[in-house]
Amino acid sequence: MDIPGYGHVDGEWDLREGISDYLGHVPLRGKRVLEVGTANGFICFNMEREGAQVVAYDLSEEQDWDAVPYERHDAAAFLSERRNHIRRLNNAFWLCHRAFGSKSKMVYGDVYSVPEDIGLVDVCTFGSILLHLRDPFLAMQKALRLTKETVIVTDLHADHPETVSDAAATPASRNGTPFRSLAKRVARVTPGIRDVLVERDLLRQQRDDVLRSQLDGIRFLPDWRTSHPRETWWHLSPGIINQFLGVLGFERTEVTYHTQKHSGGTQRLFTVVGHRTAGPLA
Ligand SMILES: C[S@@+](CC[C@H](N)C(=O)[O-])C[C@H]1O[C@@H](n2cnc3c(N)ncnc32)[C@H](O)[C@@H]1O
């Protein structure tokens, strides 16, 4: 991040070039925005520069991160290390708040108890936070009950969609070739070949199911054998975010994919933008 009066400060993520992709290119001028999980405020101050009025929301250092409660691990030591981390993030937020001359408001609290007295907002953002929460659906429900128009969800994406749909399309696209129909006729009269083809079709079916579940699924990451990860719960797909959002009244969604700089390399992410179409605020 480039901080006025301090210059460039390196961090784990460098979102400077990709911030518009990260936020799904949603116009923010004149919008009241609730940013859930602001951390050092990089996104908050960017949205403010775009003309938004931002209410930033995050844990205070007296509150606990949703750590994975491995029975074989010392949860208390981990939580105290996390509180230290949160304290440093909050200090960074206030340093930047001063340096940028920000007018954004900061509210401390747990994501499961977003207070109603924040008031209604036009836009709500969840940038790389849902994967860290034991109950991402409840977190969204609590913040979105205050959100009139648009929600922006950005999260890590492991599987590139084009790869998945290309692979999933392959068996169907081969079905119509002359070679395929000849093979089918031969197979009908040759039991050995028929068995091989049946088995191959089954394997393809299973592969396509796995690929589809990666598009729509949710994966539980904690592994009791390694007690890792400690602070991350899920691999969420764009498909599951769409389903959550639909239930919460944001039935029209768009998904985009982007690459951001991370720890000297790059990381694929997806952004889902949801538009409110149902509910008392529609
Ligand atoms: C990985 S950072 C994401 C920062 C920023 N939103 C971004 O997109 O780069 C996750 C943030 O969520 C906050 N957070 C984690 N668990 C939370 C909880 N239960 N309630 C409120 N905030 C939480 C963390 O303190 C941290 O600031």
Side-chain angles (χ1 to χ4, degrees), residues 13 15 22 35-40 43 57-59 64-66 85-86 89 109-112 126-129 131-133 154:
W13 290 90
L15 302 177
Y22 197 88
E35 190 204 5
V36 182
T38 193
N40 62 17
I43 294 170
Y57 192 81
D58 212 306
L59 294 168
D64 283 332
W65 187 279
D66 262 4
H85 178 70
I86 292 165
L89 282 178
D110 192 271
V111 77
Y112 306 116
F126 294 90
S128 302
I129 179 172
L131 72 167
H132 296 300
L133 302 175
T154 299

Side-chain angles (χ1 to χ4, degrees), residues 144-249:
L144 293 185
R145 78 199 200 285
L146 303 177
T147 306
K148 290 189 287 183
E149 294 175 6
T150 310
V151 51
I152 305 170
V153 177
T154 299
D155 225 299
L156 300 188
H157 185 62
D159 311 296
H160 193 257
E162 273 104 44
T163 321
V164 172
S165 50
D166 284 355
T170 304
S173 61
R174 278 193 189 148
N175 274 347
T177 66
F179 172 76
R180 178 91 173 121
S181 58
L182 177 65
K184 267 187 179 163
R185 265 181 277 143
V186 174
R188 268 198 292 274
V189 294
T190 320
I193 296 179
R194 187 181 54 220
D195 291 348
V196 169
L197 286 179
V198 166
E199 197 178 334
R200 190 198 59 180
D201 283 347
L202 265 176
L203 285 171
R204 280 183 170 166
Q205 186 75 50
Q206 283 168 4
R207 181 196 62 185
D208 293 349
D209 287 348
V210 169
L211 291 170
R212 264 187 226 103
S213 75
Q214 284 169 356
L215 267 186
D216 293 335
I218 177 166
R219 202 162 71 230
F220 183 70
L221 299 179
D223 184 344
W224 56 268
R225 286 158 297 210
T226 58
S227 297
H228 183 84
R230 310 293 310 273
E231 80 292 1
T232 304
W233 290 78
W234 312 106
H235 171 229
L236 300 157
S237 64
I240 198 82
I241 299 296
N242 280 342
Q243 289 183 37
F244 287 175
L245 290 179
V247 171
L248 295 170

Side-chain angles (χ1 to χ4, degrees), residues 88-132:
R88 292 206 310 273
L89 282 178
N90 292 346
N91 285 345
F93 177 90
W94 287 114
L95 182 143
C96 295
H97 193 274
R98 265 193 308 278
F100 284 106
S102 171
K103 294 192 169 52
S104 60
K105 302 257 177 307
M106 177 76 195
V107 179
Y108 288 118
D110 192 271
V111 77
Y112 306 116
S113 29
V114 174
E116 254 182 71
D117 57 16
I118 284 179
L120 294 182
V121 296
D122 303 301
V123 179
C124 179
T125 70
F126 294 90
S128 302
I129 179 172
L130 296 179
L131 72 167
H132 296 300

